[in-house]
Amino acid sequence: DAKTTQPNSMESNEEEPVHLPCNHSTISGTDYIHWYRQLPSQGPEYVIHGLTSNVNNRMASLAIAEDRKSSTLILHRATLRDAAVYYCILRPYPSGSARQLTFGSGTQLTVLP
Amino acid sequence: EAGVAQSPRYKIIEKRQSVAFWCNPISGHATLYWYQQILGQGPKLLIQFQNNGVVDDSQLPKDRFSAERLKGVDSTLKIQPAKLEDSAVYLCASSRGKGTLNTEAFFGQGTRLTVV
């Protein structure tokens, strides 16, 4: 499986933007970039995904480098409720690989009031 | 839309005892996953079902863990006998299915197992 690399932890101030980086230098052409987050004592939840173009939804934005070897999850205005572990995951499509949702250790985001 | 339901939420057992966890996925979701999450680590896939067939169980410790998904809906994960190192949160997730573009996975809240 293609691997992702994320910082272990990051801090942000409340109401400021947060940029969470992810490196995936061995990404293949059929890998989608997915982001999930896990709030304390909860199961992971889907945040956003993309292939080549930047993506926006109500939760976040995903900026994908032109060579696709890195991406950045952007929270436009962090709130205390955004404190969580954020996982960057590569998923192939079509889903040929069974082990297609492989989590790393993620980035622990702390939001300071 | 109801989410993924898991029970129990918490379980404490002694080592060498057996335990079972239950998962009810979102209606219509063909793919079901069981993950093990040890404290401080990301979730690790144990087994993946597509309908009632096993797609991947390469990381399932088959000498003590078993899982089934009868009729392609609910699933149970069993540990027998439990070891101290099995203490973890067991997460169930479901998604629409292999080959679909909408591959978002939905997770339950998990079952926290403590083996003493």
Side-chain angles (χ1 to χ4, degrees), chain B residues 2-42:
Chain B
V4 175
Q6 289 189 248
S7 67
R9 284 296 313 276
Y10 305 93
K11 190 75 177 178
I12 301 175
I13 62 172
E14 294 182 350
K15 60 184 179 186
R16 291 188 289 274
Q17 285 188 322
S18 62
V19 65
F21 313 124
W22 174 81
C23 173
N24 181 227
I26 291 173
S27 177
H29 279 194
T31 303
L32 185 146
Y33 312 83
W34 281 102
Y35 284 85
Q36 179 193 58
Q37 186 171 26
I38 292 171
L39 188 65
Q41 299 180 17

Side-chain angles (χ1 to χ4, degrees), chain A residues 32 34 36 38 41-46 49 87 91 93-95 98-105, chain B residues 9 33 35 37 41-43 45 48 55-56 58-59 91 98-101 103-105 107-109:
Chain A
Y32 277 73
H34 285 242
Y36 281 73
Q38 188 170 21
S41 301
Q42 300 289 321
E45 65 174 346
Y46 167 83
H49 77 279
Y87 297 98
R91 294 189 80 181
Y93 180 80
S95 316
R99 204 180 308 169
Q100 58 176 291
L101 193 55
T102 301
F103 289 81
S105 51
Chain B
R9 284 296 313 276
Y33 312 83
Y35 284 85
Q37 186 171 26
Q41 299 180 17
L45 179 69
Q48 178 181 341
V55 177
D56 181 8
S58 59
Q59 298 191 94
L91 294 160
K98 190 166 96 160
T100 63
L101 185 57
T103 57
E104 175 184 352
F107 284 78
Q109 288 194 297

